[in-house]
């Protein structure tokens, strides 16, 4: 277990150092803090890439920047996904359809301040089952990378 406090208070809930307990009873300590902000009310999971509470706390302003304009971030992410995988200029209808279908699941803030939004294909029409798009924004809030994860 890390030497510092294992939790970080935030306006979005108590961020806890992520762990996994194996069937052998061994506990693995991961390199991030997380909180499930409330799937029932549609808030995404928060994940801060940090190995100590001080570093995790320093990333909270990036989380606040996201929540200050959540709809804007999410729309820029879905537009980036459509643009990445389109062979032609996407139509307004295609962008709107993606904005409706690709739902935000996780906000991941990296130690360098970049933010990765992980999206879920809610209808299964855009990505194969078990795969999801992720959009990385740099510290200037510009979408710089779109990936498909499994």
């Amino acid at each position: 277990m890390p030497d510092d406090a294992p939790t970080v208070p935030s306006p979005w809930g108590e961020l806890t150092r992520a762990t996994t307990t194996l069937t052998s009873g061994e506990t693995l300590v991961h390199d991030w803090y997380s909180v499930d902000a409330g799937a029932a009310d549609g808030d995404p999971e928060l994940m801060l890439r940090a190995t100590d509470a001080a570093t995790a706390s320093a990333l909270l302003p990036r989380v606040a920047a996201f929540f200050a304009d959540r709809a804007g971030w999410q729309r820029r992410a879905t537009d980036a996904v459509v643009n990445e995988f389109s062979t032609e200029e996407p139509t307004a209808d295609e962008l709107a359809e993606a904005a409706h279908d690709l739902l935000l699941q996780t906000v991941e803030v990296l130690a360098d301040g970049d933010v990765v939004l992980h999206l879920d294909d809610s209808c299964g029409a855009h990505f194969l089952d078990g795969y999801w798009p992720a959009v990385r924004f740099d510290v200037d809030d510009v979408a710089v990378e779109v990936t498909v994860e499994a």
Side-chain angles (χ1 to χ4, degrees):
M1 218 28 154
D3 294 333
D4 67 302
T7 61
V8 175
S10 83
W12 308 281
E14 188 95 327
L15 290 151
T16 306
R17 184 76 184 263
T19 61
T20 301
T21 302
L22 304 175
T23 55
S24 66
E26 178 185 4
T27 299
L28 302 177
V29 179
H30 301 291
D31 64 348
W32 67 86
Y33 282 74
S34 66
V35 63
D36 184 347
D41 61 11
D43 280 340
E45 175 186 3
L46 301 179
M47 175 186 261
L48 305 180
R49 289 286 178 173
T51 56
D52 60 78
T55 303
S57 293
L59 297 175
L60 291 177
R62 291 297 282 155
V63 177
F66 165 79
F67 276 108
D69 184 24
R70 177 181 169 170
W73 282 76
Q74 189 165 344
R75 181 57 188 252
R76 290 193 321 271
T78 60
D79 286 359
V81 170
V82 174
N83 282 303
E84 179 71 21
F85 297 109
S86 294
T87 56
E88 303 174 346
E89 184 71 27
T91 67
D93 286 344
E94 289 170 328
L95 294 171
E97 178 182 338
H100 179 267
D101 295 344
L102 301 177
L103 304 179
L104 183 61
Q105 292 300 304
T106 304
V107 177
E108 179 181 7
V109 182
L110 306 179
D112 63 2
D114 284 7
V115 174
V116 181
L117 301 184
H118 299 264
L119 305 167
D120 178 51
D121 180 5
S122 67
C123 64
H126 305 279
F127 292 89
L128 295 173
D129 189 36
Y131 294 86
W132 64 90
V135 181
R136 184 176 185 149
F137 292 87
D138 66 14
V139 294
D140 296 319
D141 303 341
V142 174
V144 293
E145 182 180 32
V146 176
T147 58
V148 177
E149 301 180 353

